[in-house]
Amino acid sequence: RVAIMGFSDGASFGLSLAVANPDIFEAVLVWAAGFCLPPPLPSATPVSRPRVFMWHGVEDQIFDIRSVSLPVRDHLRAAGLEVHYHAEEGGRHVCPQPGSQFCNAALEFWLAAPRRSSAA
């Protein structure tokens, strides 16, 4: 199992890296991602794609949830990615600590998923 986790710019880079390399990453776990480049394109044929766990603070003072986070989420979903999204009430642009709700939920999301077959 290979996943990538990040916060803020690290989340944006991790999301971009995972989407561009779906054969490597099974999941991407991000808090406060601001972008995904290149944006994924919808595919008419079934392809292996990383599962996405996104968490964003409703009170984020750097990346506004409505103008940044929700459009990224919606674009990923439109491209056919499985996106689990959580908007944390009162959450701000602060790096989550080990043992935080985000870290625990992200790891549970990643580890609870069935492993990809080696043919994928």
Side-chain angles (χ1 to χ4, degrees):
R1 292 180 184 230
V2 179
I4 190 165
M5 179 185 267
F7 163 72
S8 191
D9 284 346
S12 299
F13 297 141
L15 186 56
S16 300
L17 187 62
V19 168
N21 296 282
D23 52 325
I24 297 173
F25 296 99
E26 292 183 52
V28 57
L29 318 164
V30 297
W31 171 281
F35 61 86
C36 179
L37 296 174
L41 300 173
S43 175
T45 59
V47 294
S48 179
R49 295 187 183 263
R51 296 171 64 241
V52 180
F53 184 87
M54 291 182 74
W55 194 297
H56 204 97
V58 173
E59 303 299 323
D60 190 315
Q61 68 277 26
I62 307 296
F63 295 145
D64 179 71
I65 193 168
R66 285 168 287 294
S67 62
V68 177
S69 180
L70 294 175
V72 170
R73 177 204 64 190
D74 295 344
H75 189 79
L76 294 169
R77 285 181 175 165
L81 278 85
E82 175 187 344
V83 180
H84 292 260
Y85 188 88
H86 178 76
E88 181 180 305
E89 290 298 324
R92 299 185 52 81
H93 201 87
V94 177
C95 187
Q97 298 299 308
S100 67
Q101 272 190 304
F102 165 76
C103 289
N104 291 340
L107 291 174
E108 183 177 312
F109 167 84
W110 176 41
L111 297 174
R115 288 182 166 226
R116 260 195 223 165
S117 70
S118 58

Short mmCIF file of all heavy atoms in Angstrom, two decimals, residues 60-106:
data_model
loop_
_atom_site.label_atom_id
_atom_site.label_comp_id
_atom_site.label_asym_id
_atom_site.label_seq_id
_atom_site.Cartn_x
_atom_site.Cartn_y
_atom_site.Cartn_z
N ASP A 60 -10.69 28.41 7.34
CA ASP A 60 -9.33 28.51 6.80
C ASP A 60 -9.10 29.94 6.31
O ASP A 60 -9.81 30.45 5.46
CB ASP A 60 -9.15 27.52 5.65
CG ASP A 60 -7.72 27.40 5.19
OD1 ASP A 60 -7.04 28.43 5.03
OD2 ASP A 60 -7.26 26.26 4.99
N GLN A 61 -8.09 30.60 6.88
CA GLN A 61 -7.81 31.99 6.54
C GLN A 61 -6.86 32.15 5.36
O GLN A 61 -6.63 33.25 4.88
CB GLN A 61 -7.27 32.73 7.78
CG GLN A 61 -5.90 32.29 8.23
CD GLN A 61 -5.85 31.05 9.12
OE1 GLN A 61 -6.72 30.19 9.09
NE2 GLN A 61 -4.79 30.95 9.91
N ILE A 62 -6.33 31.05 4.82
CA ILE A 62 -5.42 31.09 3.67
C ILE A 62 -6.14 30.63 2.40
O ILE A 62 -6.15 31.33 1.39
CB ILE A 62 -4.17 30.20 3.91
CG1 ILE A 62 -3.48 30.55 5.23
CG2 ILE A 62 -3.22 30.28 2.73
CD1 ILE A 62 -2.91 31.95 5.30
N PHE A 63 -6.72 29.41 2.42
CA PHE A 63 -7.44 28.87 1.28
C PHE A 63 -8.92 28.81 1.62
O PHE A 63 -9.37 27.92 2.35
CB PHE A 63 -6.96 27.45 0.94
CG PHE A 63 -5.54 27.35 0.47
CD1 PHE A 63 -4.77 26.25 0.80
CD2 PHE A 63 -4.96 28.33 -0.32
CE1 PHE A 63 -3.47 26.12 0.37
CE2 PHE A 63 -3.65 28.23 -0.75
CZ PHE A 63 -2.91 27.11 -0.42
N ASP A 64 -9.67 29.76 1.11
CA ASP A 64 -11.10 29.82 1.38
C ASP A 64 -11.78 28.53 0.92
O ASP A 64 -11.55 28.07 -0.21
CB ASP A 64 -11.72 31.02 0.66
CG ASP A 64 -13.21 31.10 0.88
OD1 ASP A 64 -13.62 31.44 2.01
OD2 ASP A 64 -13.97 30.80 -0.07
N ILE A 65 -12.60 27.96 1.76
CA ILE A 65 -13.22 26.68 1.46
C ILE A 65 -14.12 26.77 0.23
O ILE A 65 -14.14 25.86 -0.60
CB ILE A 65 -13.99 26.13 2.69
CG1 ILE A 65 -14.37 24.67 2.47
CG2 ILE A 65 -15.19 26.99 3.02
CD1 ILE A 65 -14.86 23.96 3.70
N ARG A 66 -14.87 27.86 0.08
CA ARG A 66 -15.81 27.97 -1.04
C ARG A 66 -15.13 28.25 -2.38
O ARG A 66 -15.54 27.73 -3.40
CB ARG A 66 -16.86 29.05 -0.73
CG ARG A 66 -17.89 28.56 0.30
CD ARG A 66 -18.77 29.66 0.85
NE ARG A 66 -18.14 30.59 1.78
CZ ARG A 66 -17.67 30.28 2.98
NH1 ARG A 66 -17.73 29.04 3.42
NH2 ARG A 66 -17.15 31.18 3.77
N SER A 67 -14.10 29.06 -2.37
CA SER A 67 -13.49 29.42 -3.65
C SER A 67 -12.27 28.58 -4.01
O SER A 67 -11.82 28.61 -5.16
CB SER A 67 -13.08 30.91 -3.64
OG SER A 67 -12.11 31.16 -2.64
N VAL A 68 -11.75 27.79 -3.05
CA VAL A 68 -10.56 26.97 -3.33
C VAL A 68 -10.85 25.48 -3.15
O VAL A 68 -10.75 24.70 -4.09
CB VAL A 68 -9.37 27.40 -2.43
CG1 VAL A 68 -8.17 26.52 -2.67
CG2 VAL A 68 -9.02 28.87 -2.66
N SER A 69 -11.20 25.08 -1.97
CA SER A 69 -11.32 23.66 -1.63
C SER A 69 -12.48 22.96 -2.35
O SER A 69 -12.29 21.88 -2.92
CB SER A 69 -11.47 23.51 -0.12
OG SER A 69 -11.57 22.15 0.24
N LEU A 70 -13.66 23.55 -2.30
CA LEU A 70 -14.81 22.90 -2.93
C LEU A 70 -14.65 22.76 -4.44
O LEU A 70 -14.98 21.69 -4.99
CB LEU A 70 -16.11 23.62 -2.56
CG LEU A 70 -16.47 23.54 -1.06
CD1 LEU A 70 -17.71 24.39 -0.78
CD2 LEU A 70 -16.65 22.12 -0.61
N PRO A 71 -14.12 23.76 -5.15
CA PRO A 71 -13.89 23.56 -6.59
C PRO A 71 -12.86 22.45 -6.89
O PRO A 71 -13.03 21.70 -7.85
CB PRO A 71 -13.39 24.92 -7.07
CG PRO A 71 -13.99 25.90 -6.11
CD PRO A 71 -13.96 25.17 -4.79
N VAL A 72 -11.82 22.32 -6.06
CA VAL A 72 -10.85 21.24 -6.26
C VAL A 72 -11.56 19.90 -6.07
O VAL A 72 -11.43 18.99 -6.88
CB VAL A 72 -9.65 21.37 -5.29
CG1 VAL A 72 -8.78 20.11 -5.33
CG2 VAL A 72 -8.81 22.60 -5.63
N ARG A 73 -12.33 19.79 -5.00
CA ARG A 73 -13.09 18.55 -4.74
C ARG A 73 -14.01 18.21 -5.92
O ARG A 73 -14.03 17.09 -6.40
CB ARG A 73 -13.91 18.71 -3.47
CG ARG A 73 -14.79 17.49 -3.17
CD ARG A 73 -15.98 17.79 -2.31
NE ARG A 73 -16.91 18.69 -2.99
CZ ARG A 73 -17.94 19.26 -2.39
NH1 ARG A 73 -18.18 19.03 -1.11
NH2 ARG A 73 -18.74 20.06 -3.05
N ASP A 74 -14.76 19.21 -6.37
CA ASP A 74 -15.72 18.97 -7.44
C ASP A 74 -15.04 18.57 -8.74
O ASP A 74 -15.53 17.71 -9.47
CB ASP A 74 -16.60 20.20 -7.65
CG ASP A 74 -17.48 20.50 -6.44
OD1 ASP A 74 -17.65 19.60 -5.57
OD2 ASP A 74 -17.99 21.62 -6.35
N HIS A 75 -13.89 19.16 -9.04
CA HIS A 75 -13.15 18.81 -10.25
C HIS A 75 -12.64 17.37 -10.17
O HIS A 75 -12.70 16.63 -11.16
CB HIS A 75 -12.00 19.78 -10.48
CG HIS A 75 -11.35 19.59 -11.80
ND1 HIS A 75 -11.88 20.08 -12.97
CD2 HIS A 75 -10.22 18.93 -12.14
CE1 HIS A 75 -11.11 19.73 -13.97
NE2 HIS A 75 -10.09 19.04 -13.50
N LEU A 76 -12.14 16.98 -9.01
CA LEU A 76 -11.66 15.60 -8.84
C LEU A 76 -12.81 14.61 -9.04
O LEU A 76 -12.65 13.60 -9.71
CB LEU A 76 -11.03 15.42 -7.47
CG LEU A 76 -9.73 16.20 -7.21
CD1 LEU A 76 -9.37 16.14 -5.74
CD2 LEU A 76 -8.60 15.68 -8.07
N ARG A 77 -13.94 14.90 -8.45
CA ARG A 77 -15.10 14.02 -8.60
C ARG A 77 -15.56 13.96 -10.05
O ARG A 77 -15.89 12.88 -10.55
CB ARG A 77 -16.24 14.49 -7.69
CG ARG A 77 -16.01 14.15 -6.23
CD ARG A 77 -17.16 14.59 -5.36
NE ARG A 77 -16.96 14.15 -3.99
CZ ARG A 77 -17.63 14.63 -2.95
NH1 ARG A 77 -18.58 15.54 -3.14
NH2 ARG A 77 -17.39 14.18 -1.75
N ALA A 78 -15.58 15.10 -10.73
CA ALA A 78 -16.00 15.13 -12.13
C ALA A 78 -15.06 14.31 -13.01
O ALA A 78 -15.47 13.77 -14.03
CB ALA A 78 -16.07 16.57 -12.64
N ALA A 79 -13.80 14.19 -12.58
CA ALA A 79 -12.82 13.40 -13.33
C ALA A 79 -12.91 11.92 -12.99
O ALA A 79 -12.15 11.11 -13.51
CB ALA A 79 -11.42 13.92 -13.05
N GLY A 80 -13.83 11.56 -12.09
CA GLY A 80 -14.05 10.16 -11.78
C GLY A 80 -13.30 9.63 -10.57
O GLY A 80 -13.29 8.43 -10.33
N LEU A 81 -12.69 10.52 -9.79
CA LEU A 81 -11.99 10.06 -8.59
C LEU A 81 -12.97 9.92 -7.43
O LEU A 81 -13.94 10.67 -7.32
CB LEU A 81 -10.88 11.03 -8.20
CG LEU A 81 -9.58 10.84 -8.98
CD1 LEU A 81 -9.63 11.60 -10.28
CD2 LEU A 81 -8.41 11.27 -8.15
N GLU A 82 -12.70 8.95 -6.59
CA GLU A 82 -13.48 8.75 -5.36
C GLU A 82 -12.93 9.73 -4.33
O GLU A 82 -11.77 9.63 -3.93
CB GLU A 82 -13.31 7.32 -4.87
CG GLU A 82 -13.97 7.04 -3.55
CD GLU A 82 -13.64 5.66 -3.01
OE1 GLU A 82 -13.15 4.80 -3.77
OE2 GLU A 82 -13.86 5.45 -1.80
N VAL A 83 -13.75 10.70 -3.93
CA VAL A 83 -13.30 11.74 -2.99
C VAL A 83 -14.16 11.68 -1.74
O VAL A 83 -15.38 11.85 -1.80
CB VAL A 83 -13.37 13.15 -3.61
CG1 VAL A 83 -12.91 14.20 -2.61
CG2 VAL A 83 -12.56 13.22 -4.89
N HIS A 84 -13.52 11.46 -0.61
CA HIS A 84 -14.18 11.56 0.69
C HIS A 84 -13.78 12.92 1.24
O HIS A 84 -12.60 13.20 1.41
CB HIS A 84 -13.73 10.44 1.62
CG HIS A 84 -14.20 9.10 1.17
ND1 HIS A 84 -15.30 8.48 1.71
CD2 HIS A 84 -13.76 8.27 0.20
CE1 HIS A 84 -15.50 7.33 1.10
NE2 HIS A 84 -14.57 7.19 0.17
N TYR A 85 -14.78 13.77 1.50
CA TYR A 85 -14.52 15.16 1.86
C TYR A 85 -15.12 15.47 3.22
O TYR A 85 -16.25 15.09 3.51
CB TYR A 85 -15.14 16.08 0.80
CG TYR A 85 -14.78 17.52 0.97
CD1 TYR A 85 -13.63 18.04 0.40
CD2 TYR A 85 -15.58 18.37 1.71
CE1 TYR A 85 -13.28 19.37 0.56
CE2 TYR A 85 -15.25 19.70 1.88
CZ TYR A 85 -14.11 20.20 1.30
OH TYR A 85 -13.77 21.52 1.47
N HIS A 86 -14.36 16.19 4.02
CA HIS A 86 -14.85 16.62 5.34
C HIS A 86 -14.53 18.09 5.52
O HIS A 86 -13.37 18.50 5.39
CB HIS A 86 -14.20 15.80 6.46
CG HIS A 86 -14.64 16.23 7.81
ND1 HIS A 86 -15.88 15.90 8.33
CD2 HIS A 86 -14.04 16.98 8.75
CE1 HIS A 86 -16.00 16.42 9.54
NE2 HIS A 86 -14.90 17.08 9.81
N ALA A 87 -15.54 18.89 5.82
CA ALA A 87 -15.37 20.30 6.16
C ALA A 87 -15.44 20.41 7.68
O ALA A 87 -16.48 20.13 8.26
CB ALA A 87 -16.45 21.14 5.50
N GLU A 88 -14.33 20.79 8.28
CA GLU A 88 -14.29 20.88 9.75
C GLU A 88 -14.78 22.24 10.21
O GLU A 88 -14.19 23.27 9.89
CB GLU A 88 -12.87 20.65 10.27
CG GLU A 88 -12.81 20.71 11.79
CD GLU A 88 -11.41 20.50 12.33
OE1 GLU A 88 -10.80 19.47 11.99
OE2 GLU A 88 -10.96 21.36 13.09
N GLU A 89 -15.90 22.22 10.95
CA GLU A 89 -16.43 23.46 11.51
C GLU A 89 -15.38 24.10 12.41
O GLU A 89 -14.79 23.44 13.27
CB GLU A 89 -17.71 23.18 12.31
CG GLU A 89 -18.89 22.80 11.47
CD GLU A 89 -19.32 23.89 10.50
OE1 GLU A 89 -19.25 25.09 10.84
OE2 GLU A 89 -19.72 23.54 9.38
N GLY A 90 -15.12 25.38 12.19
CA GLY A 90 -14.16 26.11 13.01
C GLY A 90 -12.71 25.85 12.63
O GLY A 90 -11.81 26.51 13.14
N GLY A 91 -12.47 24.89 11.74
CA GLY A 91 -11.10 24.55 11.37
C GLY A 91 -10.39 25.69 10.66
O GLY A 91 -10.98 26.39 9.85
N ARG A 92 -9.12 25.89 11.01
CA ARG A 92 -8.32 26.95 10.43
C ARG A 92 -7.13 26.33 9.69
O ARG A 92 -6.97 25.12 9.66
CB ARG A 92 -7.86 27.91 11.52
CG ARG A 92 -9.09 28.56 12.21
CD ARG A 92 -8.76 29.62 13.22
NE ARG A 92 -7.88 30.68 12.78
CZ ARG A 92 -8.24 31.76 12.07
NH1 ARG A 92 -9.49 31.90 11.70
NH2 ARG A 92 -7.37 32.68 11.77
N HIS A 93 -6.31 27.17 9.10
CA HIS A 93 -5.15 26.71 8.31
C HIS A 93 -3.98 26.43 9.26
O HIS A 93 -3.02 27.20 9.35
CB HIS A 93 -4.78 27.79 7.28
CG HIS A 93 -3.98 27.26 6.15
ND1 HIS A 93 -4.56 26.72 5.03
CD2 HIS A 93 -2.64 27.17 5.97
CE1 HIS A 93 -3.62 26.34 4.18
NE2 HIS A 93 -2.45 26.60 4.73
N VAL A 94 -4.09 25.31 9.96
CA VAL A 94 -3.08 24.90 10.94
C VAL A 94 -2.76 23.44 10.70
O VAL A 94 -3.67 22.62 10.54
CB VAL A 94 -3.60 25.10 12.39
CG1 VAL A 94 -2.59 24.61 13.40
CG2 VAL A 94 -3.98 26.55 12.63
N CYS A 95 -1.48 23.12 10.66
CA CYS A 95 -1.06 21.75 10.40
C CYS A 95 -1.59 20.80 11.47
O CYS A 95 -1.39 21.03 12.66
CB CYS A 95 0.46 21.68 10.35
SG CYS A 95 1.08 20.06 9.84
N PRO A 96 -2.27 19.74 11.05
CA PRO A 96 -2.79 18.78 12.03
C PRO A 96 -1.65 18.00 12.68
O PRO A 96 -0.65 17.69 12.03
CB PRO A 96 -3.69 17.87 11.20
CG PRO A 96 -3.23 18.03 9.80
CD PRO A 96 -2.63 19.39 9.68
N GLN A 97 -1.82 17.72 13.93
CA GLN A 97 -0.80 16.98 14.69
C GLN A 97 -1.09 15.49 14.69
O GLN A 97 -2.24 15.08 14.52
CB GLN A 97 -0.78 17.49 16.14
CG GLN A 97 -0.41 18.96 16.26
CD GLN A 97 0.98 19.23 15.72
OE1 GLN A 97 1.95 18.59 16.10
NE2 GLN A 97 1.08 20.19 14.80
N PRO A 98 -0.06 14.66 14.87
CA PRO A 98 -0.31 13.21 15.01
C PRO A 98 -1.34 12.98 16.11
O PRO A 98 -1.32 13.65 17.15
CB PRO A 98 1.05 12.65 15.41
CG PRO A 98 2.03 13.64 14.85
CD PRO A 98 1.35 14.99 14.98
N GLY A 99 -2.27 12.08 15.85
CA GLY A 99 -3.32 11.80 16.82
C GLY A 99 -4.52 12.72 16.70
O GLY A 99 -5.50 12.55 17.43
N SER A 100 -4.46 13.70 15.78
CA SER A 100 -5.60 14.60 15.60
C SER A 100 -6.73 13.85 14.91
O SER A 100 -6.54 12.76 14.36
CB SER A 100 -5.18 15.80 14.74
OG SER A 100 -4.89 15.37 13.42
N GLN A 101 -7.91 14.45 14.91
CA GLN A 101 -9.06 13.84 14.22
C GLN A 101 -8.72 13.58 12.76
O GLN A 101 -9.07 12.53 12.22
CB GLN A 101 -10.27 14.77 14.29
CG GLN A 101 -11.13 14.60 15.51
CD GLN A 101 -12.41 15.39 15.33
OE1 GLN A 101 -12.38 16.60 15.09
NE2 GLN A 101 -13.53 14.72 15.46
N PHE A 102 -8.08 14.55 12.10
CA PHE A 102 -7.72 14.38 10.69
C PHE A 102 -6.79 13.19 10.51
O PHE A 102 -7.04 12.32 9.67
CB PHE A 102 -7.06 15.64 10.12
CG PHE A 102 -6.35 15.36 8.81
CD1 PHE A 102 -7.08 15.21 7.65
CD2 PHE A 102 -4.98 15.23 8.76
CE1 PHE A 102 -6.45 14.93 6.44
CE2 PHE A 102 -4.32 14.96 7.57
CZ PHE A 102 -5.07 14.81 6.40
N CYS A 103 -5.71 13.14 11.26
CA CYS A 103 -4.73 12.05 11.09
C CYS A 103 -5.38 10.69 11.35
O CYS A 103 -5.17 9.75 10.58
CB CYS A 103 -3.52 12.27 12.00
SG CYS A 103 -2.47 13.63 11.46
N ASN A 104 -6.16 10.59 12.40
CA ASN A 104 -6.80 9.31 12.71
C ASN A 104 -7.79 8.90 11.62
O ASN A 104 -7.80 7.75 11.18
CB ASN A 104 -7.49 9.38 14.06
CG ASN A 104 -6.51 9.47 15.21
OD1 ASN A 104 -5.34 9.12 15.08
ND2 ASN A 104 -6.97 9.97 16.35
N ALA A 105 -8.62 9.85 11.17
CA ALA A 105 -9.61 9.53 10.14
C ALA A 105 -8.94 9.22 8.80
O ALA A 105 -9.37 8.32 8.09
CB ALA A 105 -10.58 10.70 9.99
N ALA A 106 -7.88 9.94 8.46
CA ALA A 106 -7.17 9.71 7.20
C ALA A 106 -6.53 8.33 7.18
O ALA A 106 -6.63 7.60 6.19
CB ALA A 106 -6.12 10.80 6.98
#
